[in-house]
Amino acid sequence: MNLMLSAVADSTAVANVANEVTSSSMSLWELFQSGGWLMWVLLALGGVVVFIFIERFVAIRKASKFDMNFMNRIRDYISEGRVGAALDACRRTNTPIARMIEKGIERIGRPMGDVQNAIENAANLEVAKLEKGLPYLSMISGGAPMIGFLGTVIGMVQAFMAMEGAGGVVDMSVLAGGMYVAMLTTVAGLIVGIPAYFGYNYLVARIERLVFRMEANSIAFMDILNQPVSK
C-alpha cells in the first residue's frame, strides 16, 4: 500500500514538473522578441539572403541552358558565308554564350585581335551580370555572425548591469533577460550566416562552370574563323 501511495506521489510530482515546464516554455515569437532589436536586423538580413539566392539561382540556371548544336549551326552558317543567318541564330538564343558569339560575328572582317577583344569584353559583361548581388551575399555571410557576437556582448553587459542593480545577488531570473539576448542573437547570426556562406560558394561554383563553357565556345568560334570560307 505504501509503495502504491509512493508511486502515485511520484507520478503527481512528475506531472507537476511537466506542467511547469510546459507553462514556462516560450513560443518562437516570444524567443524572437527576447533576443532584442538585433533580431530584427538579422531577420532583415535573412530575407535579403533568401531573395538574392533564389533570384541569382534562377538567373544562373537560365543562363546555363545551352543548345549543344548551337556552335555547329554557327560553324555551318559562317563556312557558307551566311553571316546574317549566324547573327539571327545568336539573337534567337538568349544566353550569355550566344551574346558573346554575336559580338564576335559582328567583328568578322576585322583583324583577329579585334574579334578576340570584342568576345572577351562581351564575356566580361555577361559574367558581371551573373555576379550581381553576390558581394552582398558574401558580406552577409561574414557580417551576420559578427552581429550575433555583438548581441552576445550586449546581452552580457545587460546581465551584469541587472546583477549590479540587484545588489550583486546572483539570481537567474535577474540574469535571464541579458542571457536571452546573448544566446539568441548568436544563434540567429549563425542561422543567417551559414546558409549565406554555402549559398554564395554554390553560386560562385556554378558561375565558374559557365565561364569555363564560355571560354571553350570562344576558342571554338575563333577556330571557325580560321577555317577557309567555302565558295
Side-chain angles (χ1 to χ4, degrees):
M1 185 67 178
N2 290 332
L3 292 175
M4 293 179 62
L5 292 176
S6 178
V8 171
D10 291 341
S11 62
T12 303
V14 171
N16 291 333
V17 172
N19 290 332
E20 291 178 1
V21 172
T22 302
S23 61
S24 61
S25 62
M26 302 175 67
S27 64
L28 289 177
W29 174 245
E30 290 172 336
L31 286 173
F32 179 86
Q33 290 180 314
S34 300
W37 62 272
L38 284 177
M39 296 292 285
W40 291 100
V41 177
L42 293 171
L43 179 63
L45 292 177
V48 173
V49 169
V50 173
F51 173 79
I52 292 177
F53 179 81
I54 293 177
E55 191 271 336
R56 285 295 87 196
F57 176 81
V58 173
I60 295 171
R61 183 178 181 182
K62 182 180 179 181
S64 299
K65 293 181 178 179
F66 182 69
D67 184 4
M68 300 303 295
N69 293 321
F70 173 75
M71 291 305 298
N72 293 331
R73 294 198 302 271
I74 297 299
R75 179 182 293 105
D76 294 338
Y77 290 144
I78 293 178
S79 63
E80 296 170 1
R82 301 167 59 189
V83 177
L87 284 173
D88 291 338
C90 292
R91 291 164 183 167
R92 289 195 304 267
T93 307
N94 187 24
T95 62
I97 294 176
R99 288 189 287 270
M100 177 187 69
I101 299 301
E102 179 184 352
K103 293 299 181 181
I105 295 174
E106 291 175 349
R107 301 301 190 277
I108 290 179
R110 297 185 182 181
M112 296 297 290
D114 292 346
V115 177
Q116 184 69 36
N117 290 334
I119 293 175
E120 290 178 355
N121 292 335
N124 291 333
L125 290 175
E126 294 296 333
V127 173
K129 292 178 183 178
L130 293 174
E131 292 178 342
K132 183 182 64 176
L134 293 188
Y136 297 104
L137 205 60
S138 177
M139 180 177 61
I140 293 174
S141 69
M146 296 299 294
I147 293 176
F149 178 70
L150 174 63
T152 301
V153 175
I154 293 175
M156 296 304 297
V157 171
Q158 291 177 351
F160 281 111
M161 290 179 63
M163 186 171 63
E164 182 183 8
V169 178
V170 179
D171 187 352
M172 292 306 298
S173 63
V174 175
L175 301 178
M179 296 303 294
Y180 271 129
V181 174
M183 296 297 101
L184 291 175
T185 53
T186 301
V187 172
L190 292 174
I191 289 176
V192 174
I194 291 174
Y197 174 79
F198 284 106
Y200 169 79
N201 286 279
Y202 172 77
L203 294 176
V204 168
R206 294 202 60 168
I207 291 176
E208 288 178 351
R209 288 198 297 269
L210 180 56
V211 169
F212 176 78
R213 184 181 297 176
M214 293 171 67
E215 291 176 351
N217 281 272
S218 67
I219 294 173
F221 178 74
M222 296 305 294
D223 291 339
I224 292 173
L225 295 185
N226 288 323
Q227 294 176 357
V229 179
S230 60
K231 300 296 183 180

